[in-house]
Amino acid sequence: MFTGYTDQTVDVFWGIRFNNDRAWFAEHKQEFQDAVTTPTKALAGELYDWFQETYPDLHLNVHISRIYRDARRLHGRGPYKEHLWFTIERPHERFESVPALYFELAPNYYSYGCGYWEAGAATMAKLRARIDNAPKPLERLARRLNKSKFVLSGEEFKRPKGDAGKLLNPWYNRKNIAIGYDDNPEGVLFTPQLKGEVLDGFRFLMPYYQYLDTLAGDMEPNR
């Protein structure tokens, strides 16, 4: 049962940031297991159970990231990531074009939301075509989003792809799309109520997740 994270959770992440080497991590591995891995698995599992019960036809999976960096991609950094996350998403072979709901925890923030790890040019072209052909559904979602605590993000094109109007331009002119909420690692993070907060967020985000997820079935423009 998820009972919340602890001060030790944040301390371990700060420890990794300032002591990112194998000797330090080996000495503190049990702390990491107790303060980070165990509660994260509990939170992910309980949220996933809700999805399985509420959206069984989506056939979603839960995936918890590893703390170990890919040894081929260290680029002068330490061997451990300074954050951990889990995603709830459809099975896939590549991250491209598959949106996910996510929760992420780091020493200086926690966040949750939905969107793409890497949308890909074809997916974003499909989004622009859908906006061109039928803007009303996304207009309703955009207005709803603008009244919420969640923020739209993603790298924007230096040269806009077009003008979809003030409301939809932030969606139309991005290379990637994500919708998220960030907060400081305090308060509710250390209580069982975190699960309810994230679950309420996921409930709010499901129409956005489903809108993005159905883009995969759209025809690619100019074909």
Side-chain angles (χ1 to χ4, degrees):
M1 178 180 293
F2 179 74
T3 58
Y5 291 98
T6 65
D7 289 334
Q8 188 182 34
T9 308
V10 179
D11 291 343
V12 169
F13 273 120
W14 281 118
I16 292 172
R17 176 166 293 188
F18 292 113
N19 306 275
N20 202 323
D21 61 70
R22 289 180 173 83
W24 185 92
F25 189 80
E27 185 178 344
H28 295 84
K29 188 171 183 178
Q30 190 59 53
E31 292 176 52
F32 178 82
Q33 293 290 336
D34 295 341
V36 179
T37 302
T38 297
T40 299
K41 285 183 175 180
L43 178 60
E46 291 175 29
L47 291 171
Y48 178 66
D49 288 345
W50 178 83
F51 276 97
Q52 286 289 81
E53 181 179 348
T54 310
Y55 296 98
D57 294 340
L58 293 182
H59 305 293
L60 299 172
N61 286 345
V62 63
H63 171 73
I64 301 175
S65 68
R66 300 174 72 248
I67 194 64
Y68 305 98
R69 285 197 175 111
D70 188 332
R72 298 167 298 177
R73 296 178 174 85
L74 292 181
H75 304 301
R77 298 173 297 178
Y80 305 103
K81 300 169 188 170
E82 299 170 7
H83 54 140
L84 196 74
W85 68 88
F86 63 80
T87 57
I88 297 173
E89 61 197 7
R90 285 193 294 107
H92 57 84
E93 295 182 1
R94 294 167 43 187
F95 284 113
E96 185 175 319
S97 304
V98 179
L101 295 129
Y102 71 86
F103 174 85
E104 184 174 8
L105 182 62
N108 55 335
Y109 70 88
Y110 73 92
S111 68
Y112 50 91
C114 80
Y116 294 97
W117 176 263
E118 183 180 351
T123 297
M124 298 309 291
K126 290 180 181 181
L127 174 61
R128 291 191 295 273
R130 188 182 285 189
I131 292 172
D132 289 336
N133 296 324
K136 295 297 182 184
L138 188 56
E139 286 176 353
R140 289 192 290 270
L141 290 175
R143 291 191 187 96
R144 179 173 176 261
L145 183 67
N146 290 346
K147 296 176 182 177
S148 76
K149 67 181 182 180
F150 290 94
V151 176
L152 184 70
S153 64
E155 184 182 359
E156 297 183 77
F157 288 104
K158 293 181 180 178
R159 182 175 298 175
K161 289 288 186 177
D163 185 1
K166 184 178 180 180
L167 181 63
L168 293 185
N169 274 340
W171 297 77
Y172 198 91
N173 290 303
R174 292 187 188 274
K175 297 180 180 180
N176 204 30
I177 286 284
I179 302 166
Y181 170 74
D182 293 5
D183 206 341
N184 295 319
E186 58 189 16
V188 71
L189 182 70
F190 304 126
T191 72
Q193 283 68 47
L194 176 67
K195 175 185 142 182
E197 178 186 310
V198 178
L199 182 55
D200 286 344
F202 284 172
R203 284 195 186 102
F204 176 86
L205 291 168
M206 277 308 291
Y208 302 89
Y209 170 82
Q210 291 174 308
Y211 183 92
L212 296 174
D213 189 46
T214 57
L215 287 174
D218 288 2
M219 293 182 62
E220 290 190 26
N222 302 320
R223 283 197 172 187

